[in-house]
Amino acid sequence: MLRTERILQKLRETGHRITPQRIAILRILAESRGHPSVEDIYEKVKVNFPTTSLATVYKTISVIKELGEVLELEFSKEQNRYDGKNPSPHPHLICVKCREIIDPKLSSLEPLTQELTANTGYRILSHRLDFYGLCPKCQQNP
Ligand code: ZN
Ligand code: MN
């Protein structure tokens, strides 16, 4: 099932209101590879729905977050970013200059998780793994 459809279905099942603006927000979240911020999403929604408020975008994201259908990447000094394509915890690659965030193709984290469990006795529930660096574009334009 398409990501947007899946999130829509969950919203319906939990009795949330579906509006054209909400669908537009879902679609941007579910289709974007770039880990947009609330502001980024707001700017995009406004193209087709000029009356959308920033509060609507915040509210919609918080509802989808409660449903576990978006991964929030929290940053203390800048805007949070969102991954609606893949809501399960996964590693990210972050450019410290242009703030591009991508999903690196990594072989499984499974061995690492098993090692942690074996060494500490923890039952691992989630993780946050960010790699910081300069993207190829920013390396060429210092
Ligand atoms: Zn960059
Ligand atoms: Mn991601």
Side-chain angles (χ1 to χ4, degrees):
M1 196 191 306
L2 288 170
R3 282 291 303 148
T4 312
E5 285 306 315
R6 185 186 151 73
I7 303 171
L8 266 176
Q9 191 186 344
K10 256 196 166 174
L11 280 176
R12 280 192 207 101
E13 283 168 6
T14 48
H16 286 93
R17 227 156 39 92
I18 314 275
T19 62
Q21 280 96 332
R22 277 202 159 165
I23 296 174
I25 294 166
L26 295 190
R27 200 162 278 153
I28 292 163
L29 264 176
E31 289 172 6
S32 173
R33 289 178 181 281
H35 304 83
S37 66
V38 171
E39 292 273 350
D40 294 335
I41 296 166
Y42 175 59
E43 292 304 326
K44 280 192 185 162
V45 181
K46 273 205 309 188
V47 174
N48 291 315
F49 301 95
T51 59
T52 308
S53 69
L54 195 54
T56 301
V57 181
Y58 270 106
K59 176 68 189 156
T60 303
I61 289 176
S62 108
V63 168
I64 304 170
K65 214 180 93 183
E66 273 170 41
L67 298 175
E69 290 296 336
V70 68
L71 181 66
E72 183 175 53
L73 307 175
E74 284 187 88
F75 297 100
S76 55
K77 293 199 179 108
E78 46 204 286
Q79 292 187 60
N80 292 346
R81 305 272 290 264
Y82 296 88
D83 190 334
K85 263 185 118 65
N86 176 5
S88 0
H90 58 274
H92 286 98
L93 199 46
I94 302 170
C95 176
V96 296
K97 198 161 171 229
C98 69
R99 307 308 293 180
E100 176 185 71
I101 301 181
I102 63 170
D103 293 344
K105 289 240 170 359
L106 282 182
S107 44
S108 173
L109 287 177
E110 199 54 35
L112 191 64
T113 310
Q114 282 168 6
E115 197 182 325
L116 276 173
T117 301
N119 292 347
T120 66
Y122 267 59
R123 185 161 59 89
I124 308 296
L125 303 173
S126 181
H127 67 261
R128 165 102 191 237
L129 184 54
D130 294 334
F131 296 90
Y132 293 89
L134 287 167
C135 71
K137 239 186 265 162
C138 289
Q139 288 178 59
Q140 281 178 358
N141 310 296

